[in-house]
Amino acid sequence: MPKQEVTIHDSSLVSVPAGWEEKIAHFLLTRSPLGSLVRWVAGIKASVHAKLLASFLLVTALFMGMGVMSLQTITKMASQGQLLDEVHERVHWSQEIQHALALQMNFTAMALLLKNDSTVEHILRENNRFNNTLARLEKAAQPEEVQLIQRIRVAQQEALTTVADIANLVRDGRVDDAMRLQLSKEYPLSLQIEGLVNQLVQREREKMGQLRASVAAANKNTLVLMASSAAVLILLALLLGFVTSWSFILPVQEAHGFLGEVAKGNFAATINVPNRDEFGALADRMNQMSQELQRLYDSQHRNSQELQRLNDQLQQASKAKSNFLANMSHELRTPMNAILGFVEMALDEIYGEVPSHLKEPLTDIQTNGKHLLRLINDVLDLSKIEAGRMELVLAEYSVQDVVETVRSSLQSLALEKGLGFVAAAEDDIPLAFGDGRRIAQCLTNLVGNAVKFSKRGRVAVWVEQQGDNLVYRVSDTGIGIPKEELENIFAEFQQVDTAITREYSGTGLGLNITKKFVEMHGGRIWVESELGQGSTFSFSIPLRMNHGGVA
Amino acid sequence: MSGKTVLYVEDNEFNLKMVRQLLARTSYRLIEATDGELGVATALKEVPDLILMDIQLPKMSGLDATRRLRADPKTATVPIIVITSFALSGDDEKAKDAGATAYMAKPYSPRELLQMIRKLLPEQ
């Protein structure tokens, strides 16, 4: 795999956005200063817990500030209401003064009309009411009104004095004088007082109007201020939430992309986040992980290359071994050819008549030479099988021919040992398909063993067709095989009890080779035996092998 | 006695000697070559009546030599017996493919070899 450096830069912090919210977030992060703010927050050296706590506390503090502001506003509005009430009260009092004045005038006129002073009591009472109210008003009055009030009081004092004079005149029966005084002095005074009181009422009314307007304006301002500060606070809270959450989301997205790269096998990928919190630590760990993975990958890659190299070497060695075997096979056969050839020619008396005492040693040379050749063939066959270079030569063959080959090569040996020998096949077996020569070799091996391990009795070969299979059977009356040895009998270089077999000699290759050839034909081999009674070796192979070979 | 000529291409001196002795009592005239190239050269020069070709030879393999001889009109129809190795399955096929008339597995019986020669090239 080509090494590929993938570093995800800050500018491409956000992976491909999916939903519209993410699109907005992506836009804000890349096109506004929010991106650098987010990176700044990420870069703060504090734990995620501390950052979250801080941002929640900040939002809480902002809303608490808003609460304090509202409380202040409510208090201010309450005090303004009180002021308004006061002004209202003053207006009320001024009206009461007007009323008292009017009554005072009225009672004075009544005294004149009734020509007695019984109404003076009423006048005094109204005068008291007037004075009391005026005093209350003066107490609550603004400095500019105090002057007006004092002017009213002075006029009232004068009016009262005049009323007292009028009352005296009435009591003295000088009603005309009283009337004159009333008209000339008391009436203008009353008018003056009325004018002043009206002025006062007017002023208080104006003040009330002003106050009302200012309260309305203040209320409107407060509303605007509250609304805008609430909006600002909400925006601030949102901003805080956005910045805080994205300072966590970005490294997670980054990690997502990074892990995707790693999962794809790009161990050279690195993750780069500005965070100096748990996410930063996590990113550091991830980088360590990918480095370690890269290191493992590299070392594994090197190892596999080394293995590949070793495998190539092994294959070359194996090929060399096979070539060596092929050469050796020929090299061994060449002298064997000469040995067996010369002996045969001598026995065929090509060199002249063979003296009778030399016939036996020549025959012995021939027998042992042939035996040696068989051993050489076995070793070479097995080597080829082990190297996986043994190939069957598939063709049609006659089972009768196979049996005949075995009979011709081993019957004489059996008869020489004084053994009975029977070899036959079912009559109607059709032509078989396989490697006839190898099958003959297998059967020869089994029969050879049977003859070798039997001292008396007989060796029998029987071939029959069972469905699509051919079953070859070789039974003997030999030494038999112990039960515990039956499993191992076909294993490589395995021979039953070395002490027994030493007497019979052999390499132990024959059964193994036979098993391999049978299996190459897609068949199986088995043995039934009883110690001292003899053995029956059987193998079953398909009558006709598939051309494509057998599993 | 102008017998028919048999060329034996073989590098092993004992095998050569054996066939020489085998054919000594027959009317066949034996000529010899000890490697593949020499075998081809001798065959083209002498044009024998039959060729015994060992499969494994120095300089040029018996199969290559057989192919060369089959490609040349002078020796295209001369019977060639290729001596193969029994253990190497497929040698027989290769020998046939190369143009061998017959093949004989090594080690061969001199008796059988002589029978085969007589069959392919009667002595008269």
Side-chain angles (χ1 to χ4, degrees):
Chain A
M1 196 189 73
K3 208 172 164 174
Q4 179 179 10
E5 195 71 39
V6 173
T7 309
I8 304 149
H9 298 289
D10 278 5
S11 54
S12 63
L13 260 175
V14 193
S15 58
V16 183
W20 60 270
E21 322 95 309
E22 285 215 31
K23 274 181 186 157
I24 292 170
H26 179 74
F27 177 81
L28 287 175
L29 286 169
T30 50
R31 298 287 167 85
S32 76
L34 280 179
S36 45
L37 195 60
V38 165
R39 274 191 290 281
W40 180 77
V41 168
I44 294 173
K45 199 177 174 185
S47 70
V48 170
H49 173 254
K51 284 183 190 176
L52 280 175
L53 195 67
S55 60
F56 283 132
L57 282 178
L58 209 55
V59 171
T60 313
L62 287 172
F63 278 94
M64 271 167 70
M66 207 166 103
V68 169
M69 264 171 64
S70 331
L71 269 177
Q72 277 178 343
T73 312
I74 289 165
T75 315
K76 201 173 153 197
M77 280 168 82
S79 70
Q80 277 175 338
Q82 205 181 342
L83 269 179
L84 206 60
D85 280 351
E86 278 171 19
V87 173
H88 201 261
E89 207 167 38
R90 283 209 299 277
V91 170
H92 175 69
W93 288 337
S94 308
Q95 283 170 340
E96 213 167 276
I97 288 169
Q98 263 182 327
H99 187 61
L101 187 65
L103 281 174
Q104 194 181 308
M105 289 285 291
N106 187 39
F107 284 127
T108 308
M110 255 172 75
L112 287 172
L113 271 173
L114 295 174
K115 293 181 181 69
N116 69 36
D117 62 350
S118 62
T119 50
V120 170
E121 212 177 311
H122 288 289
I123 295 168
L124 284 176
R125 203 181 65 218
E126 286 309 316
N127 181 53
N128 277 346
R129 193 157 70 99
F130 184 99
N131 279 337
N132 285 343
T133 312
L134 197 67
R136 268 195 280 172
L137 198 59
E138 190 179 8
K139 232 183 192 172
Q142 305 289 319
E144 64 268 21
E145 287 163 5
V146 172
Q147 206 190 346
L148 189 64
I149 291 169
Q150 278 170 354
R151 274 175 67 197
I152 294 170
R153 180 172 289 126
V154 171
Q156 174 66 14
Q157 288 296 332
E158 212 181 327
L160 195 66
T161 312
T162 311
V163 168
D165 290 345
I166 292 168
N168 286 334
L169 288 174
V170 169
R171 198 191 307 133
D172 296 343
R174 290 159 63 187
V175 175
D176 293 339
D177 288 344
M179 261 179 164
R180 216 177 292 120
L181 189 64
Q182 203 265 333
L183 280 173
S184 65
K185 198 167 178 189
E186 205 256 341
Y187 183 66
L189 267 174
S190 284
L191 283 178
Q192 189 195 349
I193 291 168
E194 195 183 356
L196 285 170
V197 166
N198 281 345
Q199 218 177 321
L200 188 65
V201 168
Q202 191 58 39
R203 276 200 190 175
E204 290 298 346
R205 279 220 167 107
E206 270 172 21
K207 260 194 197 160
M208 195 168 77
Q210 276 170 5
L211 202 58
R212 274 213 175 106
S214 88
V215 165
N219 282 354
K220 199 180 156 194
N221 282 344
T222 307
L223 205 65
V224 169
L225 189 72
M226 287 290 288
S228 51
S229 62
V232 167
L233 280 175
I234 287 167
L235 271 177
L236 264 176
L238 280 176
L239 181 77
L240 204 61
F242 180 85
V243 167
T244 312
S245 58
W246 277 96
S247 79
F248 302 147
I249 295 169
L250 284 184
V252 170
Q253 285 186 341
E254 190 83 355
H256 182 79
F258 165 79
L259 288 176
E261 283 293 319
V262 171
K264 272 192 276 177
N266 178 15
F267 304 131
T270 55
I271 178 169
N272 188 7
V273 298
N275 292 54
R276 292 203 292 163
D277 46 27
E278 284 91 332
F279 290 109
L282 197 64
D284 287 347
R285 278 291 158 87
M286 284 180 178
N287 280 332
Q288 279 174 14
M289 180 192 80
S290 74
Q291 275 170 15
E292 185 61 14
L293 279 174
Q294 179 70 52
R295 198 185 63 73
L296 284 174
Y297 174 78
D298 286 346
S299 100
Q300 190 246 2
H301 188 64
R302 275 197 301 277
N303 286 345
S304 78
Q305 274 181 333
E306 177 70 9
L307 269 177
Q308 184 62 48
R309 203 179 56 75
L310 285 174
N311 193 31
D312 290 348
Q313 278 183 351
L314 268 175
Q315 272 181 353
Q316 273 182 350
S318 172
K319 205 172 169 186
K321 185 185 156 197
S322 294
N323 287 338
F324 170 78
L325 279 174
N327 288 334
M328 209 53 196
S329 158
H330 193 83
E331 293 302 324
L332 288 170
R333 268 161 233 279
T334 303
M336 284 311 296
N337 195 47
I339 291 168
L340 292 173
F342 282 122
V343 171
E344 190 193 286
M345 278 159 61
L347 284 171
D348 282 357
E349 301 192 324
I350 281 173
Y351 305 112
E353 199 179 330
V354 180
S356 58
H357 67 282
L358 284 182
K359 274 193 176 159
E360 198 186 329
L362 279 176
T363 311
D364 286 347
I365 291 172
Q366 192 176 43
T367 307
N368 282 286
K370 281 180 177 167
H371 187 204
L372 178 58
L373 182 66
R374 266 203 308 282
L375 292 179
I376 290 168
N377 284 342
D378 281 356
V379 171
L380 293 173
D381 278 354
L382 198 64
S383 304
K384 288 205 74 181
I385 291 168
E386 292 301 312
R389 292 175 71 91
M390 176 61 80
E391 284 165 18
L392 296 178
V393 180
L394 299 179
E396 294 207 316
Y397 68 93
S398 147
V399 176
Q400 297 291 351
D401 285 353
V402 169
V403 173
E404 201 45 52
T405 308
V406 175
R407 194 217 311 278
S408 65
S409 65
L410 287 164
Q411 188 172 31
S412 53
L413 190 67
L415 295 177
E416 271 171 37
K417 280 189 76 173
L419 299 168
F421 189 89
V422 191
E426 263 182 331
D427 284 338
D428 48 356
I429 298 178
L431 273 182
F433 184 80
D435 191 336
R437 202 156 65 176
R438 294 302 184 189
I439 295 303
Q441 192 182 342
C442 292
L443 198 60
T444 306
N445 277 338
L446 295 181
V447 175
N449 282 343
V451 171
K452 190 157 69 176
F453 292 110
S454 300
K455 280 182 171 171
R456 61 190 72 80
R458 50 125 194 96
V459 171
V461 179
W462 175 245
V463 190
E464 62 184 19
Q465 188 183 355
Q466 286 184 1
D468 291 336
N469 291 319
L470 282 174
V471 179
Y472 289 79
R473 251 191 205 107
V474 178
S475 58
D476 64 53
T477 51
I479 54 175
I481 303 157
K483 253 190 187 134
E484 62 272 22
E485 301 283 356
L486 280 176
E487 280 180 23
N488 293 330
I489 194 90
F490 297 106
E492 227 166 300
F493 310 120
Q494 196 76 43
Q495 278 197 327
V496 182
D497 193 308
T498 43
I500 298 171
T501 50
R502 197 167 299 135
E503 190 191 334
Y504 296 95
S505 80
T507 57
L509 294 177
L511 280 179
N512 185 243
I513 291 168
T514 301
K515 180 171 184 263
K516 295 264 166 68
F517 280 139
V518 167
E519 285 170 355
M520 282 174 83
H521 275 85
R524 63 185 191 94
I525 186 167
W526 68 97
V527 59
E528 297 142 283
S529 181
E530 207 167 312
L531 205 55
Q533 299 294 309
S535 314
T536 301
F537 281 84
S538 314
F539 64 87
S540 156
I541 54 166
L543 177 66
R544 298 192 72 81
M545 254 185 89
N546 289 331
H547 279 269
V550 172
Chain B
M1 188 177 75
S2 63
K4 294 179 177 171
T5 311
V6 173
L7 168 65
Y8 188 18
V9 190
E10 162 68 276
D11 62 323
N12 182 280
E13 152 187 13
F14 290 101
N15 285 329
L16 280 170
K17 186 174 165 186
M18 191 176 81
V19 172
R20 206 181 296 143
Q21 289 169 354
L22 181 71
L23 297 185
R25 299 199 316 171
T26 66
S27 65
Y28 297 114
R29 187 172 70 92
L30 183 71
I31 52 173
E32 298 161 15
T34 51
D35 67 57
E37 285 178 4
L38 238 122
V40 173
T42 312
L44 292 177
K45 193 177 151 205
E46 304 278 337
V47 192
D49 299 301
L50 185 141
I51 300 167
L52 295 174
M53 181 74 78
D54 195 77
I55 201 163
Q56 197 165 3
L57 290 167
K59 290 184 184 173
M60 185 190 287
S61 82
L63 292 177
D64 285 342
T66 304
R67 274 189 278 273
R68 289 277 186 90
L69 295 178
R70 281 287 175 256
D72 197 293
K74 277 194 272 186
T75 51
T77 55
V78 176
I80 301 176
I81 300 173
V82 172
I83 315 286
T84 63
S85 301
F86 172 78
L88 296 174
S89 57
D91 266 9
D92 303 350
E93 303 295 319
K94 285 183 208 159
K96 272 190 173 171
D97 290 346
T101 317
Y103 56 85
M104 179 126 257
K106 207 181 204 179
Y108 52 83
S109 147
R111 198 190 303 143
E112 286 172 16
L113 180 66
L114 188 56
Q115 279 171 8
M116 189 177 275
I117 294 170
R118 285 195 166 124
K119 197 175 137 198
L120 291 172
L121 185 70
E123 248 184 303
Q124 284 177 346

